[in-house]
Amino acid sequence: MEGFGSLLPFVAMFAVVYFFMIAPQMKRAKQEKKFASELKRGDKVITKSGMHGKVVDLNDKDNSCVIETLAGKIKFDRSAISMEMSRKLNAPAK
């Protein structure tokens, strides 16, 4: 019984770390993967580096997309598209 009492704080710490750090991170990764897979031509996006543009072409072979900016067309990896910034850009005005 005494061995269980000394193990209880470690179990509690693991539960706290899981529910406050690991689970939200897994949920966010799933949302980002869904967002990247739902990209389509004509979507206005912002990359994680801050580049604004419109999706012109999507390539499923190498998981990339071509974005048209004021400077021209640039090829990016889909994971370089910022989910939060792109959603804010496309959100309806209040």
Side-chain angles (χ1 to χ4, degrees), residues 22-35:
I22 298 171
Q25 187 175 5
M26 290 183 349
K27 181 180 177 185
R28 180 180 170 93
K30 188 185 292 186
Q31 287 175 339
E32 285 185 5
K33 189 174 182 179
K34 181 181 177 194
F35 172 78

Side-chain angles (χ1 to χ4, degrees), residues 6-22:
S6 64
L7 189 63
L8 190 61
F10 292 111
V11 171
M13 269 195 301
F14 177 75
V16 168
V17 167
Y18 179 79
F19 287 111
F20 287 107
M21 295 180 74
I22 298 171

Side-chain angles (χ1 to χ4, degrees), residues 31-48:
Q31 287 175 339
E32 285 185 5
K33 189 174 182 179
K34 181 181 177 194
F35 172 78
S37 68
E38 290 177 347
L39 278 176
K40 59 187 179 301
R41 286 182 171 180
D43 284 350
K44 292 181 181 178
V45 295
I46 302 175
T47 65
K48 290 182 181 177

Side-chain angles (χ1 to χ4, degrees), residues 48-91:
K48 290 182 181 177
S49 61
M51 183 148 326
H52 293 243
K54 184 169 65 170
V55 176
V56 176
D57 190 27
L58 297 166
N59 188 346
D60 290 329
K61 288 181 184 176
D62 60 353
N63 205 23
S64 66
C65 62
V66 177
I67 297 176
E68 183 178 22
T69 65
L70 292 175
K73 295 180 182 178
I74 305 172
K75 185 176 183 178
F76 281 98
D77 192 30
R78 287 190 193 184
S79 64
I81 308 294
S82 172
M83 180 178 65
E84 294 87 18
M85 297 297 288
S86 297
R87 284 190 176 160
K88 286 180 187 176
L89 177 71
N90 293 315

